[in-house]
Amino acid sequence: MTVGIVGGGIAGLAAAHRLQERGHDVRVFEASDDLGGLAAVYETRGDPIEKFYHHLSKSEETIVSLAEDLGVGDRVEWIYGNDGYYVDGVVHPLNTIWEIAAYPHMSLYDKFRLGMLTMEVDVRGGIPSFDTYDDLESFEDVPIKNFLLEHTTRGVYENFFEPLLDAKFGDRVEDVSAAWLLGRIKFRGERDLLKGEQLGYFDGSFAVLVDALIDAVGRENVQTGARVVDLDATDTDAASDGTVESVTVETADGRERHDVDGVVVAAMPNVLEDLTGYPCDVDFQGAVCAVVTMDRALMDETYWLNVAHDAPFGALIEHTNFVPPERYGGDHLLYVASYVQSQDEWLWQADDDEVSDRWLDHIADMFPDQFHESMVEDVRISRNPRAAPVYERGYLDMVVPYDVGGEATDVPDGVYYAGMASRAQYPERSLNGGIVAGYECADRIHDRVDTDRSTVEASTQ
């Protein structure tokens, strides 16, 4: 059986690898010249660096298991990443119980209620409950603000969460489901109250995993600069839209037709809609992310800095306070990142020089004693119009099924979906979720083949 994979990101490569392990032939088609999707990298004077920041949480077990299977599990390092909150010109560390206790912008009771929520303990009514937050779907239709005011305090909402939510979701924040927040708390895993949170990173960047996946799949089975523009199906009747039998691929040399027995669309849902007509109502945020190369550090130890005021960016992530600058030829690397809710926003419309100037000017205002533009050697900006879903209320009703051809009457049989609008990317998107989605599609294809084979064998006996 030959399966065509639309998209050479982590989900598509994971699906291809899983299918090959089960004895199927695969062909991966990637429209761009780069593989890895949101895990694509820039070159530096040392190791590569991701164009969009990445790290692992302890809950992301599938990606770690895959790395071990591919022989690069020893390249995963677990490092304590220091978080901070910038308020009124001061960086407040928020890693250990003592640092959180010293944070001056919430009362002791506020911090107690915040701590209980992060440990998933419901203390409303004075009697602790340890299972209130187990079923995320029960909070799917609860507005996030209402949830936080009921389950913590107004001080927690206004002095901690509100600036973070505004930075992430902008004018869509009122639409966001409490299930997203609870899912993110579960996703981030356990925190050591004396040391903070351990985060994972590949020695050599996430390109280590992507390259190992490509090698496992076989570079001869992966084609870049190849955009799938059409799916062909067998003749249909009134009760069926047929079964997919080939894909048409557009390359620099023209169009090619490849026979397939199934297709995994490991791309955004707009690609699925273009190929099959299947609609998806999930809204996506864009992202604008800069990697700033500096000759010295901006912050002493902070890796991830959230900003309480209305900054022109969402967060500052000083990568080389997490991974040593020696791995990058001694350069210090800082991510400046922001989400975009509409492509009409200034941030999306402005050119890279305008964005760089505004962002660097504001960093200089925030850190007048530490930052000067003379320390900046380079600014590289990447943009993605669909970097993450908006996890609004009712989101689960909008996810695209894995076996979209089997569940949607107007899509040919044999079409599967492993993109960011899949169930594996709820209630938080991640590279780990992409791998899970790829596996889910591959397993369904394999199970279908086994079922068909068993049916044929039974009919011939």
Side-chain angles (χ1 to χ4, degrees):
M1 179 176 185
T2 300
V3 181
I5 311 291
V6 182
I10 200 83
L13 293 171
H17 176 58
R18 186 84 152 196
L19 285 163
Q20 282 185 324
E21 284 189 315
R22 283 153 172 73
H24 306 290
D25 295 328
V26 298
R27 183 75 179 178
V28 180
F29 303 102
E30 168 55 44
S32 73
D33 294 328
D34 297 320
L35 296 167
L38 287 172
V41 297
Y42 295 125
E43 295 301 318
T44 76
R45 292 198 296 161
D47 291 343
I49 179 75
E50 291 78 15
K51 295 179 179 180
F52 297 90
Y53 54 85
H54 287 292
H55 57 234
L56 300 176
S57 296
K58 281 288 190 178
S59 64
E60 295 181 86
E61 298 176 351
T62 305
I63 192 170
V64 175
S65 177
L66 173 61
E68 292 171 350
D69 292 343
L70 295 172
V72 294
D74 60 341
R75 302 286 291 275
V76 179
E77 302 175 314
W78 293 99
I79 309 163
Y80 285 100
N82 292 315
D83 294 343
Y85 210 146
Y86 183 98
V87 184
D88 297 335
V90 178
V91 174
H92 299 276
L94 291 175
N95 302 291
T96 69
I97 189 171
W98 312 115
E99 291 171 343
I100 295 169
Y103 182 64
H105 297 283
M106 290 191 296
S107 70
L108 184 61
Y109 182 64
D110 288 340
K111 286 179 274 195
F112 166 73
R113 292 297 297 270
L114 175 60
M116 290 296 99
L117 177 63
T118 59
M119 290 190 289
E120 301 179 59
V121 181
D122 181 7
V123 295
R124 293 174 301 163
I127 301 175
S129 171
F130 297 90
D131 59 5
T132 300
Y133 309 123
D134 288 349
D135 181 13
L136 296 183
E137 294 185 24
S138 65
F139 296 93
E140 172 69 14
D141 295 317
V142 179
I144 196 167
K145 179 178 180 179
N146 294 6
F147 170 83
L148 286 168
L149 291 176
E150 179 182 349
H151 290 258
T152 61
T153 66
R154 181 166 292 277
V156 170
Y157 177 74
E158 293 179 350
N159 298 318
F160 186 80
F161 279 111
E162 188 173 27
L164 304 183
L165 294 169
D166 286 343
K168 183 170 178 63
F169 294 109
D171 60 8
R172 295 298 307 274
V173 68
E174 296 290 340
D175 302 325
V176 178
S177 162
W180 168 80
L181 177 64
L182 289 171
R184 187 167 180 83
I185 289 170
K186 293 177 182 293
F187 177 79
R188 291 300 295 265
E190 297 181 2
R191 175 182 293 271
D192 187 317
L193 294 179
L194 299 179
K195 295 181 180 180
E197 182 183 10
Q198 274 191 317
L199 302 173
Y201 191 75
F202 282 86
D203 178 7
S205 83
F206 279 79
V208 168
L209 178 68
V210 173
D211 288 344
L213 261 176
I214 296 168
D215 288 341
V217 171
R219 292 180 183 268
E220 70 278 7
N221 297 315
V222 179
Q223 186 175 356
T224 57
R227 182 182 301 277
V228 177
V229 295
D230 196 15
L231 304 181
D232 298 308
T234 57
D235 291 337
T236 64
D237 55 36
S240 170
D241 277 274
T243 300
V244 65
E245 62 178 3
S246 70
V247 296
T248 301
V249 180
E250 191 171 70
T251 71
D253 297 324
R255 292 197 169 193
E256 307 168 353
R257 183 177 181 274
H258 296 265
D259 292 335
V260 296
D261 302 295
V263 170
V264 176
V265 179
M268 290 298 169
N270 62 297
V271 176
L272 178 69
E273 183 170 6
D274 289 344
L275 293 174
T276 68
Y278 183 89
C280 176
D281 294 328
V282 171
D283 287 337
F284 286 85
Q285 303 172 299
V288 180
C289 187
V291 175
V292 182
T293 303
M294 307 177 296
D295 63 10
R296 73 200 80 158
L298 172 66
M299 297 176 281
D300 291 337
E301 296 181 344
T302 303
Y303 163 55
W304 190 290
L305 184 69
N306 291 308
V307 182
H309 65 264
D310 185 18
F313 41 75
L316 299 175
I317 301 112
E318 190 154 0
H319 181 78
T320 41
N321 281 347
F322 181 55
V323 177
E326 290 76 21
R327 294 190 183 175
Y328 306 98
D331 287 337
H332 294 260
L333 302 176
L334 172 74
Y335 284 107
V336 188
S338 187
Y339 284 105
V340 176
Q341 310 306 322
S342 167
Q343 293 185 18
D344 294 329
E345 293 181 30
W346 176 89
L347 181 57
W348 191 263
Q349 294 291 326
D351 64 35
D352 288 356
D353 288 341
E354 292 175 311
V355 173
S356 175
D357 289 345
R358 179 174 290 191
W359 281 1
L360 294 181
D361 286 347
H362 195 82
I363 293 172
D365 290 341
M366 291 174 62
F367 298 95
D369 297 329
Q370 296 104 308
F371 181 81
H372 191 275
E373 288 196 30
S374 62
M375 63 195 276
V376 175
E377 298 177 354
D378 193 17
V379 179
R380 290 175 284 185
I381 294 178
S382 290
R383 303 164 187 256
N384 190 297
R386 298 178 182 87
V390 177
Y391 290 99
E392 58 188 299
R393 301 191 301 279
Y395 184 86
L396 278 179
D397 295 331
M398 296 184 282
V399 296
V400 180
Y402 298 117
D403 185 2
V404 64
E407 297 191 31
T409 57
D410 53 353
V411 176
D413 192 28
V415 177
Y416 297 80
Y417 181 73
M420 202 180 288
S422 67
R423 184 64 171 82
Q425 298 288 18
Y426 174 88
E428 174 68 313
R429 64 97 171 90
S430 66
L431 294 179
N432 189 81
I435 294 168
V436 171
Y439 284 179
E440 290 283 354
C441 291
D443 291 347
R444 281 166 170 77
I445 291 172
H446 182 71
D447 291 345
R448 189 189 78 180
V449 171
D450 276 354
T451 299
D452 291 346
R453 184 181 297 119
S454 298
T455 301
V456 171
E457 290 174 354
S459 66
T460 58
Q461 290 177 356

